[in-house]
Every structure is written in structure tokens, then in C-alpha cells.
Amino acid sequence: MEDEHEDDILTRAPSDLMLNERAVVRSTGKMAIREFLHHHTLYEVVRDSGKVVVFDTNIPIQLAFYALLEHDMPAAPLWDSASRGFVGLMSVTDFIDILRHYHRRGITLDDLSARTIAEVMSDAEGRRLQHATFLGTAVDTLVYEACTTLQQHHQRFLPIIPPDGSGVLSILSYYDVLNFLVAQFREQRRLFEDSVAELQIGTYGEQVVTVDRKARLGDVLDLMEERDISAVPVVDDDKRAINLYSRSDITFLATATDAESVISNLDMTVGQVLEARQAEGDAAKDHMHTCSAETSLQGIFELFAEVGFHIVVCVDPEGRCTGVVSVRDLISYFM
């Protein structure tokens, strides 16, 4: 019996050693990134030039929405002049979600347009903003700590404030962190050769959410809100991924001619919205970038450096969606 046990150990030893070596490499890679994030502050992440648009909560919410679009800002801090403080953030996605919720309650778009941000925020039956609290973070905060705040509070954006606590310098996102990491982190050792699927970075298999191009837009937006996802792969009749639809896409609003057509456009199919977007010359917006589930983490970093994606879709050789990896997934892996 002892000889058999020794033979079994000898048989398993090489594979066990290999698995242990891979685990050590993975751990070393994680620690290298964590150390990097622990040695840099948000001051280094903030762009040299940029702008922040601040909304007073007494302005109409529709005006704030159009201001976000005009200034090409993903989100803006909200200032309450009564309390003389910031009370949250508003994003393009917030307005789209609020519009749909008010419509369900029988409140017209014209009525919503006349309401101030403060009135919408104080509506007991309304929909809360995604960032209904203001988590101002000092500019000298370590990047790792800022990422922890984003993760723990389930936030997509984090306002960065100056040392004296007045105003907002910038709005931080997971994208900004990954952009800084890819641009500044240097490592000679081959620490990121395992695939994203092996590392369990992203969503795979039955957990992946896709939508058919014939799906009704309103239903797709409901699904993305329910699952708290920012974009979803669009598939054809053969389940091949053909495009990406973002929750913040405003095509159905931009192509509307009046308040009634805004609501009726929610009955468009996702395919029709994507065609309208292409006709408007916005085909490059939210362009779908793909990889294989076997693509290494290093390969994903290189892809991001090349195209700057928010979400990359994993596909099989036939083009069918097998997984989705977001910028948030990538940063969360190192936390």
C-alpha cells in the first residue's frame, strides 16, 4: 500500500507543481498591479486639461441632460444651493431611465421637462439617480483606495475634489483608471499570460446577457437596468454578435421630432436603432470590439491600449458571443 501511495505522489507531483507555479505567477501579477495602484494618487490620473460641468439642482432636468450632451460629459456633479453642498451626480443614463419611469406612471415628457432636478430627486415615487449621494474623494487619495470606494459603493463615477474641498476637479471612472494603468505600468516579467476566462475576469456562459436585434428597445433598456449592465451585445438570428448597444445611447431621443415620438421610439427594435445611429454618422460610437475567451490578460491590456474599449465581447470561431469583459471587471480583478 505504501509503494502505491508513493507512486501516486510521483505521478501527481509534476502537475501539482505546475498548478502551484501558475498560482504563484497569478498572485505575483495581482500584487504587482496592486502595488502600482498603491503608489500613485488621483492627482496623477486627472487629465492635464479637461472640464467639469456642475448643475444647480434648481434647473430643469431636461436642460441638464442636453448640457451633458453638448459638453460630451458622461456625468456631472449636482449642487444644492439651499444646503450649499454637492448632493450627487447626474448621468445621461439617469435621464433615460427617469424618462421611462415617468412614462410608466402616466407623466408626459412635457411635464418631466418642466421639473427641476431637485423636484425629480425628491419625488418619493420616482427613480433614484445612480449616484444619489456625493462621494467626493480628495485628489491626493491613492488610486487603489479610490477603486475600493467605487467597488464598495457600486458606483460608476467618483468625483475628485481639491485639497480645500471646494469644487470638483474631475470625474473618475474605471475607464480612467485602466487608461492610466495601461499607459504607466511597466513589467518585464510575463505575469499576465493566463486567459481572461481562466482568471474568471468577466461574465461567461449562461450568465451572459445578449439581445436579439429584433428585440424592442424599451424591453432591452428594462433588462439592462434590472441587471445593472451598461451595454449588451446584439446578436443576429444565428446568435452571432453583430454590435453593441449601450444603455446611454441617445439615438432614440436624437431621432425624435417631438415628445410623442420620443416615447413611440421606445417601440423600435434594437436593430432599427443601430441602423438609425449609422445613418446619423455615429457608427463608431460604442463600436463592438471582440476577442476570444482564450485571449490572455496581457492581450486584453494591449487591445485596450489600441482601441480604448469600455466592453469587449468574447466570441467563438463562428462569431457567437461566449462572454463579456468590461473595464470594471478588469479593475475589480486586482482589488
Side-chain angles (χ1 to χ4, degrees), residues 145-233:
E145 293 177 1
C147 292
T148 300
T149 300
L150 282 170
Q151 191 175 43
Q152 290 180 344
H153 293 273
H154 306 287
Q155 303 284 280
R156 298 185 186 278
F157 303 106
L158 194 65
I160 303 175
I161 59 177
D164 61 4
S166 63
V168 177
L169 293 176
S170 185
I171 303 294
L172 181 78
S173 68
Y174 283 106
Y175 181 95
D176 297 321
V177 175
L178 186 59
N179 192 46
F180 176 73
L181 174 64
V182 170
Q184 301 297 328
F185 179 77
R186 296 293 180 267
E187 176 58 64
Q188 298 299 321
R189 294 169 296 178
R190 301 172 67 88
L191 301 177
F192 310 111
E193 298 302 310
D194 285 329
S195 73
V196 286
E198 289 176 317
L199 297 173
Q200 298 182 341
I201 301 174
T203 306
Y204 301 91
E206 296 181 357
Q207 299 300 315
V208 178
V209 177
T210 63
V211 297
D212 190 279
R213 62 183 174 185
K214 301 188 186 74
R216 176 179 171 273
L217 175 61
D219 295 334
V220 172
L221 289 170
D222 288 343
L223 176 64
M224 291 200 290
E225 181 182 357
E226 177 186 341
R227 298 291 290 271
D228 189 29
I229 51 181
S230 58
V232 62

Coordinates of all heavy atoms in Angstrom, one line a residue, residues 145-233:
E145 N -7.3 53.1 -3.3 CA -8.4 53.5 -2.3 C -9.6 54.0 -3.1 O -10.7 53.7 -2.7 CB -7.9 54.5 -1.3 CG -6.8 54.0 -0.4 CD -6.3 55.1 0.6 OE1 -6.8 56.2 0.5 OE2 -5.4 54.8 1.4
A146 N -9.4 54.8 -4.2 CA -10.5 55.3 -5.0 C -11.2 54.1 -5.6 O -12.4 54.1 -5.7 CB -9.9 56.3 -6.0
C147 N -10.5 53.1 -6.2 CA -11.1 52.0 -6.8 C -11.9 51.2 -5.8 O -13.0 50.7 -6.1 CB -10.0 51.1 -7.4 SG -9.2 51.8 -8.9
T148 N -11.4 51.1 -4.6 CA -12.1 50.4 -3.5 C -13.4 51.1 -3.2 O -14.5 50.5 -3.0 CB -11.3 50.3 -2.2 OG1 -10.1 49.6 -2.5 CG2 -12.0 49.6 -1.1
T149 N -13.4 52.4 -3.2 CA -14.6 53.2 -3.0 C -15.7 53.0 -4.1 O -16.8 52.7 -3.9 CB -14.3 54.7 -2.9 OG1 -13.4 54.9 -1.8 CG2 -15.6 55.5 -2.7
L150 N -15.2 53.0 -5.3 CA -16.1 52.7 -6.5 C -16.7 51.3 -6.3 O -17.9 51.2 -6.5 CB -15.3 52.7 -7.8 CG -14.9 54.1 -8.4 CD1 -13.9 54.0 -9.5 CD2 -16.2 54.8 -8.9
Q151 N -15.9 50.4 -6.0 CA -16.4 49.0 -5.9 C -17.4 48.8 -4.7 O -18.4 48.2 -4.9 CB -15.2 48.0 -5.7 CG -15.6 46.6 -5.9 CD -14.3 45.7 -5.9 OE1 -13.4 45.9 -5.1 NE2 -14.2 44.8 -6.8
Q152 N -17.0 49.3 -3.5 CA -17.8 49.1 -2.3 C -19.2 49.8 -2.4 O -20.1 49.3 -1.9 CB -17.0 49.5 -1.1 CG -15.8 48.7 -0.7 CD -15.1 49.1 0.5 OE1 -15.3 50.3 0.9 NE2 -14.3 48.3 1.1
H153 N -19.2 50.9 -3.1 CA -20.4 51.7 -3.2 C -21.2 51.4 -4.5 O -22.2 52.1 -4.8 CB -20.1 53.2 -3.0 CG -19.7 53.5 -1.6 ND1 -20.5 53.8 -0.6 CD2 -18.4 53.6 -1.1 CE1 -19.8 54.1 0.5 NE2 -18.5 54.0 0.2
H154 N -20.7 50.5 -5.3 CA -21.3 50.2 -6.6 C -21.5 51.4 -7.4 O -22.6 51.6 -8.0 CB -22.6 49.5 -6.3 CG -22.5 48.3 -5.4 ND1 -22.0 47.1 -5.9 CD2 -22.9 48.1 -4.1 CE1 -22.0 46.2 -4.9 NE2 -22.5 46.8 -3.8
Q155 N -20.5 52.2 -7.5 CA -20.6 53.5 -8.3 C -19.8 53.3 -9.6 O -18.8 52.5 -9.7 CB -19.9 54.6 -7.5 CG -20.6 54.9 -6.2 CD -21.9 55.6 -6.3 OE1 -22.0 56.8 -6.4 NE2 -23.0 54.8 -6.2
R156 N -20.2 54.0 -10.6 CA -19.5 54.1 -11.9 C -18.6 55.3 -12.0 O -17.6 55.3 -12.8 CB -20.5 54.0 -13.1 CG -21.4 52.8 -13.1 CD -22.3 52.8 -14.3 NE -23.2 51.7 -14.3 CZ -22.9 50.4 -14.7 NH1 -21.7 50.2 -15.1 NH2 -23.8 49.5 -14.6
F157 N -18.9 56.3 -11.3 CA -18.2 57.6 -11.3 C -17.8 58.0 -9.9 O -18.6 57.8 -9.0 CB -18.9 58.7 -12.0 CG -19.3 58.3 -13.4 CD1 -20.7 58.0 -13.7 CD2 -18.4 58.3 -14.5 CE1 -21.1 57.7 -15.0 CE2 -18.8 57.9 -15.8 CZ -20.1 57.6 -16.0
L158 N -16.7 58.7 -9.8 CA -16.3 59.2 -8.5 C -15.7 60.6 -8.6 O -14.8 60.8 -9.4 CB -15.2 58.3 -7.9 CG -14.8 58.5 -6.4 CD1 -16.0 58.1 -5.5 CD2 -13.6 57.6 -6.1
P159 N -16.4 61.6 -8.0 CA -15.9 63.0 -8.1 C -14.6 63.2 -7.3 O -14.5 62.8 -6.2 CB -17.0 63.8 -7.5 CG -17.8 62.9 -6.6 CD -17.6 61.5 -7.2
I160 N -13.7 63.9 -8.0 CA -12.4 64.2 -7.3 C -12.4 65.6 -6.9 O -12.6 66.5 -7.8 CB -11.2 63.9 -8.3 CG1 -11.3 62.4 -8.8 CG2 -9.9 64.2 -7.6 CD1 -10.2 62.1 -9.8
I161 N -12.1 65.9 -5.7 CA -12.1 67.3 -5.2 C -10.7 67.7 -4.8 O -9.9 66.9 -4.4 CB -13.1 67.4 -4.0 CG1 -12.6 66.5 -2.8 CG2 -14.5 67.0 -4.4 CD1 -13.5 66.6 -1.6
P162 N -10.5 69.1 -4.8 CA -9.2 69.6 -4.4 C -8.9 69.5 -2.9 O -9.9 69.2 -2.2 CB -9.3 71.1 -4.9 CG -10.7 71.4 -4.9 CD -11.4 70.1 -5.3
P163 N -7.7 69.8 -2.5 CA -7.4 69.7 -1.1 C -8.3 70.5 -0.1 O -8.6 70.1 1.0 CB -5.9 70.1 -1.0 CG -5.4 69.8 -2.4 CD -6.5 70.1 -3.3
D164 N -8.7 71.7 -0.6 CA -9.5 72.6 0.2 C -11.0 72.2 0.3 O -11.8 72.8 0.9 CB -9.4 74.0 -0.2 CG -9.8 74.3 -1.6 OD1 -10.4 73.3 -2.2 OD2 -9.7 75.4 -2.1
G165 N -11.3 71.1 -0.5 CA -12.7 70.6 -0.5 C -13.7 71.4 -1.3 O -14.9 71.2 -1.3
S166 N -13.3 72.4 -2.0 CA -14.2 73.3 -2.8 C -14.2 72.9 -4.2 O -13.1 72.7 -4.8 CB -13.7 74.8 -2.7 OG -12.5 74.9 -3.2
G167 N -15.3 72.8 -4.8 CA -15.4 72.4 -6.2 C -15.1 71.0 -6.5 O -14.9 70.1 -5.7
V168 N -15.1 70.7 -7.8 CA -14.8 69.3 -8.3 C -13.8 69.5 -9.5 O -14.0 70.2 -10.4 CB -16.1 68.6 -8.9 CG1 -15.7 67.3 -9.4 CG2 -17.1 68.5 -7.8
L169 N -12.7 68.7 -9.3 CA -11.6 68.8 -10.3 C -11.9 67.9 -11.5 O -11.6 68.3 -12.7 CB -10.3 68.4 -9.7 CG -9.7 69.3 -8.6 CD1 -8.4 68.7 -8.1 CD2 -9.3 70.7 -9.2
S170 N -12.4 66.8 -11.2 CA -12.6 65.8 -12.3 C -13.6 64.7 -11.9 O -14.0 64.6 -10.7 CB -11.3 65.1 -12.7 OG -11.4 64.3 -13.8
I171 N -14.1 63.9 -12.8 CA -14.9 62.8 -12.5 C -14.2 61.5 -12.9 O -13.9 61.3 -14.1 CB -16.3 62.9 -13.3 CG1 -17.0 64.2 -13.0 CG2 -17.1 61.6 -12.9 CD1 -17.5 64.3 -11.5
L172 N -13.9 60.7 -11.9 CA -13.1 59.4 -12.2 C -14.0 58.3 -12.6 O -15.1 58.1 -12.0 CB -12.3 59.1 -10.9 CG -11.4 57.8 -11.0 CD1 -10.2 58.2 -11.8 CD2 -11.1 57.3 -9.6
S173 N -13.6 57.5 -13.5 CA -14.3 56.2 -13.9 C -13.3 55.1 -13.9 O -12.1 55.3 -13.9 CB -15.0 56.4 -15.2 OG -14.0 56.5 -16.3
Y174 N -13.8 53.9 -14.0 CA -13.0 52.7 -14.1 C -12.1 52.8 -15.4 O -11.0 52.4 -15.5 CB -13.8 51.4 -14.2 CG -14.3 50.9 -12.9 CD1 -15.7 51.1 -12.5 CD2 -13.5 50.3 -11.9 CE1 -16.2 50.6 -11.3 CE2 -14.0 49.9 -10.7 CZ -15.3 50.0 -10.4 OH -15.8 49.6 -9.2
Y175 N -12.7 53.4 -16.4 CA -12.0 53.6 -17.7 C -10.8 54.4 -17.5 O -9.7 54.1 -18.0 CB -12.9 54.2 -18.7 CG -12.3 54.5 -20.1 CD1 -12.5 53.5 -21.1 CD2 -11.6 55.6 -20.4 CE1 -11.9 53.7 -22.3 CE2 -11.0 55.8 -21.6 CZ -11.1 54.8 -22.6 OH -10.6 55.0 -23.8
D176 N -10.9 55.5 -16.7 CA -9.8 56.4 -16.5 C -8.6 55.6 -15.7 O -7.5 55.8 -16.0 CB -10.2 57.6 -15.6 CG -11.2 58.5 -16.3 OD1 -11.1 58.7 -17.5 OD2 -12.2 58.9 -15.6
V177 N -9.0 54.8 -14.8 CA -8.0 54.0 -14.0 C -7.3 53.1 -14.9 O -6.1 53.0 -14.9 CB -8.7 53.3 -12.8 CG1 -7.7 52.4 -12.1 CG2 -9.3 54.3 -11.9
L178 N -8.0 52.3 -15.8 CA -7.4 51.4 -16.6 C -6.5 52.1 -17.7 O -5.4 51.6 -18.0 CB -8.4 50.5 -17.4 CG -7.9 49.4 -18.2 CD1 -7.0 48.4 -17.4 CD2 -9.0 48.6 -18.9
N179 N -7.0 53.2 -18.1 CA -6.2 54.0 -19.1 C -4.9 54.4 -18.5 O -3.8 54.4 -19.1 CB -7.0 55.2 -19.5 CG -6.4 55.9 -20.7 OD1 -6.0 55.3 -21.7 ND2 -6.3 57.3 -20.6
F180 N -4.9 54.9 -17.2 CA -3.7 55.3 -16.5 C -2.8 54.1 -16.3 O -1.6 54.1 -16.5 CB -4.1 55.9 -15.2 CG -2.9 56.3 -14.3 CD1 -2.1 57.3 -14.6 CD2 -2.6 55.5 -13.2 CE1 -1.0 57.7 -13.8 CE2 -1.5 55.8 -12.3 CZ -0.7 56.9 -12.7
L181 N -3.4 52.9 -15.9 CA -2.6 51.7 -15.6 C -1.9 51.2 -16.9 O -0.7 50.9 -16.9 CB -3.6 50.6 -15.1 CG -3.0 49.2 -14.9 CD1 -1.9 49.2 -13.8 CD2 -4.1 48.2 -14.5
V182 N -2.6 51.1 -18.0 CA -2.0 50.6 -19.2 C -0.9 51.6 -19.7 O 0.1 51.1 -20.3 CB -3.1 50.4 -20.3 CG1 -2.5 50.2 -21.7 CG2 -4.0 49.3 -19.9
A183 N -1.1 52.9 -19.5 CA -0.1 53.9 -20.0 C 1.1 53.9 -19.2 O 2.2 54.2 -19.7 CB -0.8 55.2 -20.1
Q184 N 1.0 53.7 -17.9 CA 2.1 53.9 -17.0 C 2.8 52.7 -16.4 O 3.9 52.7 -16.0 CB 1.6 54.8 -15.8 CG 1.1 56.2 -16.3 CD 2.1 57.0 -17.0 OE1 3.3 57.0 -16.6 NE2 1.7 57.8 -17.9
F185 N 2.0 51.6 -16.3 CA 2.6 50.4 -15.6 C 3.6 49.7 -16.5 O 3.3 49.5 -17.7 CB 1.4 49.4 -15.2 CG 1.9 48.2 -14.6 CD1 2.3 48.2 -13.3 CD2 1.9 47.0 -15.3 CE1 2.7 47.0 -12.6 CE2 2.4 45.8 -14.7 CZ 2.8 45.8 -13.4
R186 N 4.7 49.3 -16.0 CA 5.7 48.6 -16.8 C 6.2 47.4 -16.0 O 6.5 47.4 -14.8 CB 6.9 49.5 -17.0 CG 6.6 50.7 -17.9 CD 6.3 50.3 -19.3 NE 6.0 51.4 -20.2 CZ 4.7 51.9 -20.4 NH1 3.7 51.3 -19.8 NH2 4.5 52.9 -21.2
E187 N 6.2 46.2 -16.7 CA 6.6 45.0 -16.1 C 7.3 44.1 -17.1 O 6.7 43.8 -18.2 CB 5.3 44.3 -15.5 CG 5.6 42.9 -14.9 CD 6.6 42.9 -13.8 OE1 6.3 43.6 -12.7 OE2 7.7 42.3 -14.0
Q188 N 8.5 43.7 -16.8 CA 9.2 42.8 -17.7 C 8.9 41.3 -17.6 O 9.0 40.6 -18.6 CB 10.7 43.0 -17.5 CG 11.2 44.4 -17.7 CD 11.0 44.9 -19.1 OE1 11.2 44.1 -20.1 NE2 10.7 46.1 -19.3
R189 N 8.4 41.0 -16.4 CA 8.1 39.5 -16.2 C 6.8 39.2 -16.9 O 5.9 40.0 -17.1 CB 8.0 39.3 -14.7 CG 9.3 39.4 -13.9 CD 9.0 39.4 -12.4 NE 8.2 40.5 -12.0 CZ 7.8 40.7 -10.7 NH1 8.1 39.8 -9.8 NH2 7.1 41.8 -10.4
R190 N 6.7 38.0 -17.4 CA 5.4 37.5 -18.0 C 4.4 37.0 -17.0 O 4.3 35.8 -16.7 CB 5.8 36.4 -19.0 CG 6.8 36.8 -20.1 CD 7.3 35.6 -20.9 NE 6.2 35.1 -21.7 CZ 5.9 35.5 -23.0 NH1 6.6 36.5 -23.5 NH2 4.9 35.0 -23.6
L191 N 3.7 38.0 -16.5 CA 2.8 37.7 -15.4 C 1.3 37.6 -15.8 O 0.5 37.3 -14.9 CB 2.9 38.8 -14.3 CG 4.3 39.0 -13.7 CD1 4.3 40.1 -12.7 CD2 4.8 37.7 -13.0
F192 N 1.0 38.0 -17.0 CA -0.4 38.1 -17.4 C -0.7 37.2 -18.6 O -1.4 37.7 -19.5 CB -0.8 39.5 -17.7 CG -0.3 40.4 -16.5 CD1 0.7 41.4 -16.7 CD2 -1.0 40.4 -15.3 CE1 1.1 42.2 -15.6 CE2 -0.6 41.2 -14.2 CZ 0.4 42.1 -14.4
E193 N -0.1 36.0 -18.7 CA -0.3 35.1 -19.8 C -1.5 34.2 -19.8 O -1.9 33.6 -20.8 CB 1.0 34.3 -20.0 CG 2.2 35.0 -20.2 CD 2.1 35.9 -21.5 OE1 1.8 35.4 -22.5 OE2 2.4 37.1 -21.4
D194 N -2.2 34.1 -18.6 CA -3.4 33.3 -18.5 C -4.5 34.0 -19.2 O -4.6 35.3 -19.2 CB -3.7 33.0 -17.0 CG -2.8 32.0 -16.4 OD1 -2.3 31.1 -17.1 OD2 -2.6 32.1 -15.2
S195 N -5.5 33.2 -19.7 CA -6.6 33.8 -20.4 C -7.6 34.5 -19.4 O -7.6 34.1 -18.2 CB -7.4 32.8 -21.2 OG -8.1 31.9 -20.3
V196 N -8.4 35.4 -19.9 CA -9.4 36.1 -19.1 C -10.4 35.1 -18.5 O -10.9 35.3 -17.4 CB -10.0 37.3 -19.8 CG1 -9.1 38.4 -20.0 CG2 -10.6 36.8 -21.2
A197 N -10.7 34.1 -19.3 CA -11.7 33.1 -18.9 C -11.1 32.3 -17.7 O -11.8 32.0 -16.7 CB -12.1 32.2 -20.0
E198 N -9.8 31.9 -17.8 CA -9.2 31.1 -16.8 C -9.1 31.9 -15.5 O -9.3 31.4 -14.4 CB -7.8 30.7 -17.2 CG -7.7 29.7 -18.3 CD -6.3 29.4 -18.7 OE1 -5.5 30.4 -18.9 OE2 -5.9 28.2 -18.9
L199 N -8.9 33.2 -15.6 CA -8.8 34.1 -14.5 C -10.2 34.5 -14.0 O -10.3 35.2 -12.9 CB -8.0 35.4 -14.8 CG -6.5 35.1 -15.2 CD1 -5.9 36.4 -15.7 CD2 -5.7 34.5 -14.1
Q200 N -11.2 34.1 -14.7 CA -12.6 34.4 -14.3 C -12.8 35.9 -14.3 O -13.5 36.5 -13.4 CB -13.0 33.8 -13.0 CG -12.9 32.3 -13.0 CD -13.3 31.6 -11.6 OE1 -13.3 32.3 -10.6 NE2 -13.6 30.4 -11.7
I201 N -12.3 36.6 -15.2 CA -12.5 38.0 -15.4 C -13.6 38.2 -16.4 O -13.4 37.8 -17.6 CB -11.2 38.8 -15.9 CG1 -10.1 38.6 -14.9 CG2 -11.5 40.2 -16.1 CD1 -8.8 39.2 -15.4
G202 N -14.7 38.7 -16.0 CA -15.9 38.9 -16.9 C -17.0 38.0 -16.6 O -17.0 37.3 -15.6
T203 N -17.9 37.9 -17.6 CA -19.1 37.0 -17.5 C -19.1 36.0 -18.6 O -18.9 36.4 -19.8 CB -20.4 37.9 -17.5 OG1 -20.3 38.9 -16.4 CG2 -21.6 37.0 -17.2
Y204 N -19.4 34.8 -18.3 CA -19.4 33.7 -19.4 C -20.6 32.8 -19.3 O -21.3 32.7 -18.2 CB -18.1 32.9 -19.3 CG -16.9 33.8 -19.4 CD1 -16.2 34.3 -18.3 CD2 -16.3 34.1 -20.7 CE1 -15.1 35.2 -18.4 CE2 -15.2 34.9 -20.8 CZ -14.6 35.4 -19.7 OH -13.5 36.2 -19.8
G205 N -20.8 32.0 -20.4 CA -21.8 31.0 -20.4 C -23.2 31.5 -20.3 O -23.6 32.6 -20.8
E206 N -24.0 30.9 -19.4 CA -25.4 31.2 -19.3 C -25.7 32.6 -18.6 O -26.8 33.1 -18.7 CB -26.2 30.1 -18.5 CG -26.2 28.8 -19.3 CD -26.9 27.7 -18.5 OE1 -27.4 28.0 -17.3 OE2 -27.1 26.6 -19.0
Q207 N -24.6 33.1 -18.0 CA -24.8 34.4 -17.3 C -24.7 35.6 -18.2 O -25.0 36.7 -17.8 CB -23.7 34.5 -16.2 CG -23.8 33.4 -15.1 CD -25.1 33.5 -14.4 OE1 -25.6 34.5 -14.0 NE2 -25.7 32.3 -14.2
V208 N -24.2 35.3 -19.4 CA -24.0 36.4 -20.4 C -25.4 36.9 -20.9 O -26.2 36.1 -21.3 CB -23.2 36.0 -21.6 CG1 -23.0 37.1 -22.6 CG2 -21.8 35.5 -21.1
V209 N -25.6 38.2 -20.9 CA -26.8 38.8 -21.4 C -26.6 39.3 -22.8 O -25.7 40.1 -23.1 CB -27.3 39.9 -20.5 CG1 -28.6 40.6 -21.1 CG2 -27.5 39.5 -19.1
T210 N -27.4 38.7 -23.7 CA -27.4 39.2 -25.1 C -28.8 39.5 -25.5 O -29.8 39.1 -24.9 CB -26.8 38.2 -26.1 OG1 -27.7 37.0 -26.1 CG2 -25.4 37.8 -25.7
V211 N -29.0 40.3 -26.6 CA -30.3 40.7 -27.0 C -30.4 40.5 -28.5 O -29.4 40.7 -29.3 CB -30.8 42.1 -26.7 CG1 -30.9 42.3 -25.2 CG2 -29.8 43.1 -27.3
D212 N -31.5 40.0 -29.0 CA -31.7 39.8 -30.4 C -31.9 41.2 -31.1 O -32.5 42.1 -30.5 CB -33.0 38.9 -30.7 CG -33.1 38.5 -32.1 OD1 -33.6 39.3 -32.9 OD2 -32.7 37.4 -32.5
R213 N -31.5 41.3 -32.3 CA -31.7 42.6 -33.0 C -33.1 43.0 -33.2 O -33.4 44.2 -33.4 CB -30.9 42.6 -34.3 CG -31.4 41.6 -35.3 CD -30.6 41.6 -36.6 NE -31.0 40.6 -37.5 CZ -30.3 40.3 -38.6 NH1 -29.3 41.0 -39.0 NH2 -30.7 39.3 -39.4
K214 N -34.0 42.0 -33.1 CA -35.5 42.3 -33.2 C -36.1 42.7 -31.9 O -37.3 42.9 -31.9 CB -36.2 41.1 -33.8 CG -35.7 40.6 -35.2 CD -36.6 39.5 -35.7 CE -36.1 38.9 -37.0 NZ -34.9 38.0 -36.7
A215 N -35.4 42.6 -30.8 CA -35.9 43.0 -29.5 C -36.4 44.4 -29.4 O -35.7 45.3 -30.0 CB -34.9 42.7 -28.4
R216 N -37.4 44.7 -28.7 CA -38.0 46.0 -28.5 C -37.0 46.8 -27.6 O -36.6 46.3 -26.6 CB -39.4 45.9 -27.9 CG -40.0 47.3 -27.6 CD -41.4 47.1 -27.0 NE -41.9 48.3 -26.5 CZ -41.7 48.8 -25.3 NH1 -40.9 48.1 -24.4 NH2 -42.2 50.0 -24.9
L217 N -36.7 48.0 -28.0 CA -35.8 48.9 -27.3 C -36.2 49.1 -25.9 O -35.4 49.0 -25.0 CB -35.7 50.2 -28.0 CG -34.8 51.3 -27.3 CD1 -33.4 50.8 -27.1 CD2 -34.9 52.6 -28.0
G218 N -37.5 49.3 -25.6 CA -37.9 49.6 -24.2 C -37.6 48.3 -23.4 O -37.2 48.5 -22.2
D219 N -37.8 47.1 -23.9 CA -37.6 45.9 -23.1 C -36.1 45.7 -22.9 O -35.7 45.3 -21.8 CB -38.1 44.7 -23.9 CG -39.7 44.7 -24.1 OD1 -40.3 45.4 -23.2 OD2 -40.2 44.1 -25.0
V220 N -35.3 46.1 -23.8 CA -33.8 46.0 -23.7 C -33.3 46.9 -22.6 O -32.5 46.5 -21.8 CB -33.1 46.3 -25.0 CG1 -31.6 46.3 -24.8 CG2 -33.5 45.2 -26.1
L221 N -33.8 48.2 -22.6 CA -33.4 49.1 -21.6 C -33.9 48.6 -20.2 O -33.2 48.8 -19.2 CB -34.0 50.5 -21.9 CG -33.4 51.2 -23.1 CD1 -34.2 52.4 -23.4 CD2 -32.0 51.6 -22.8
D222 N -35.1 48.0 -20.1 CA -35.6 47.5 -18.8 C -34.6 46.4 -18.3 O -34.3 46.3 -17.2 CB -37.0 46.9 -19.0 CG -38.0 48.0 -19.1 OD1 -37.7 49.2 -18.8 OD2 -39.1 47.7 -19.6
L223 N -34.2 45.5 -19.3 CA -33.3 44.4 -18.9 C -32.0 44.9 -18.4 O -31.5 44.4 -17.4 CB -33.1 43.5 -20.1 CG -32.2 42.3 -20.0 CD1 -32.7 41.4 -18.9 CD2 -32.0 41.6 -21.3
M224 N -31.4 45.9 -19.1 CA -30.1 46.4 -18.7 C -30.2 47.1 -17.3 O -29.3 47.0 -16.5 CB -29.5 47.3 -19.8 CG -29.2 46.6 -21.1 SD -28.0 47.6 -22.1 CE -29.0 48.9 -22.6
E225 N -31.3 47.8 -17.1 CA -31.4 48.5 -15.8 C -31.6 47.4 -14.7 O -31.0 47.5 -13.6 CB -32.7 49.4 -15.8 CG -32.9 50.1 -14.5 CD -34.1 50.9 -14.5 OE1 -34.8 51.0 -15.5 OE2 -34.4 51.5 -13.4
E226 N -32.4 46.4 -15.0 CA -32.6 45.3 -14.0 C -31.3 44.6 -13.6 O -31.0 44.3 -12.5 CB -33.6 44.3 -14.5 CG -33.8 43.1 -13.6 CD -34.7 42.1 -14.3 OE1 -35.5 42.4 -15.2 OE2 -34.7 40.9 -13.8
R227 N -30.4 44.3 -14.7 CA -29.2 43.6 -14.4 C -28.0 44.5 -14.1 O -26.9 44.0 -13.9 CB -28.9 42.8 -15.7 CG -29.9 41.7 -16.0 CD -29.9 40.6 -15.0 NE -28.7 39.8 -15.1 CZ -28.6 38.7 -15.9 NH1 -29.6 38.3 -16.6 NH2 -27.5 38.0 -15.9
D228 N -28.3 45.8 -14.1 CA -27.2 46.8 -13.9 C -26.0 46.6 -14.8 O -24.9 46.5 -14.3 CB -26.8 46.7 -12.4 CG -25.9 47.9 -12.0 OD1 -26.0 49.0 -12.6 OD2 -25.0 47.7 -11.1
I229 N -26.3 46.6 -16.1 CA -25.2 46.5 -17.1 C -25.3 47.7 -18.0 O -26.3 48.2 -18.3 CB -25.3 45.2 -17.9 CG1 -26.7 45.0 -18.5 CG2 -24.9 44.0 -17.0 CD1 -26.8 43.7 -19.3
S230 N -24.1 48.2 -18.4 CA -24.0 49.4 -19.2 C -24.2 49.2 -20.7 O -24.5 50.1 -21.4 CB -22.7 50.1 -18.9 OG -21.6 49.3 -19.2
A231 N -23.9 48.0 -21.1 CA -24.0 47.7 -22.6 C -24.3 46.2 -22.8 O -24.0 45.4 -21.9 CB -22.7 48.1 -23.3
V232 N -24.9 45.9 -23.9 CA -25.2 44.5 -24.1 C -24.9 44.1 -25.6 O -25.2 44.9 -26.5 CB -26.7 44.3 -23.8 CG1 -27.6 45.1 -24.7 CG2 -27.1 42.8 -23.9
P233 N -24.4 42.9 -25.9 CA -24.1 42.5 -27.3 C -25.5 42.3 -28.0 O -26.4 41.7 -27.4 CB -23.3 41.2 -27.1 CG -22.8 41.3 -25.7 CD -23.8 42.0 -24.9

